[in-house]
Amino acid sequence: MELKKWSYNYVSDLIRFANNKKIADNLRDIFPHPYTEENARQFIEFCMNTPENKQVNRAIFYENQAIGGIGLTLGEDVNTKSAEIGYWLAEEYWGKGIVTDAVKEMCRFAFEELNLARVYAAVYAYNKGSCKVLEKCGFVMEGVLRKSVFKNGQFFDACMYSLIN
């Protein structure tokens, strides 16, 4: 597993792996389903043009393909030493420890390269796999944000996790 900057070379991988309702159901609505070539190109353009002092996005690269994505959205004002982490992985690679390694690597980058003090994630409570990933990486659940997510016409709780440097 390697984290690489997004490039247009990964458009076909992104279309192939991101076009999955199970993935979209665990992410914010900005992540579309179906996932089209236009969506892939717009996302990659966004990643290439967004300054890394605002957001850091990487492709999760494995077996010569981009099989997922991971990113940090950096805080502003009094939250400048915090960042929210988000990620997704192609379904056929779930349960292999790949995203756990990606989260560990992105957190190392956050703490060592960006000098952050806190990385956090709000995971939909029903996404037990993602909760396990964060726990394996040393994140601690700080609490449950009740009915904080409105997704697919329903309310869901979110679990707030953080890792402190």
Side-chain angles (χ1 to χ4, degrees), residues 33-146:
H33 185 267
Y35 203 101
T36 66
E37 180 176 348
E38 182 180 346
N39 298 135
R41 290 188 178 282
Q42 287 174 348
F43 173 72
I44 291 169
E45 183 176 342
F46 170 81
C47 292
M48 293 182 349
N49 292 327
T50 300
E52 290 201 343
N53 65 345
K54 298 285 182 192
Q55 196 165 51
V56 177
N57 288 294
R58 298 289 186 264
I60 299 173
F61 206 75
Y62 183 75
E63 296 179 339
N64 297 315
Q65 22 183 20
I67 61 165
I70 189 165
L72 293 168
T73 301
L74 281 71
E76 297 178 345
D77 198 333
V78 297
N79 297 310
T80 58
K81 293 297 183 179
S82 295
E84 181 178 19
I85 192 167
Y87 48 86
W88 66 272
L89 187 71
E91 184 177 7
E92 60 226 62
Y93 295 95
W94 291 357
K96 298 181 185 292
I98 296 167
V99 81
T100 299
D101 290 344
V103 169
K104 286 178 181 176
E105 176 59 24
M106 190 59 99
C107 289
R108 185 207 59 75
F109 179 82
F111 295 139
E112 293 178 13
E113 304 298 323
L114 301 177
N115 197 30
L116 297 180
R118 180 176 190 268
V119 176
Y120 67 92
V123 178
Y124 306 159
Y126 59 78
N127 187 348
K128 301 300 183 195
S130 193
C131 292
K132 285 181 185 176
V133 164
L134 294 171
E135 290 165 4
K136 282 192 245 179
C137 293
F139 282 71
V140 173
M141 188 170 75
E142 297 179 328
V144 176
L145 307 173
R146 298 178 304 146

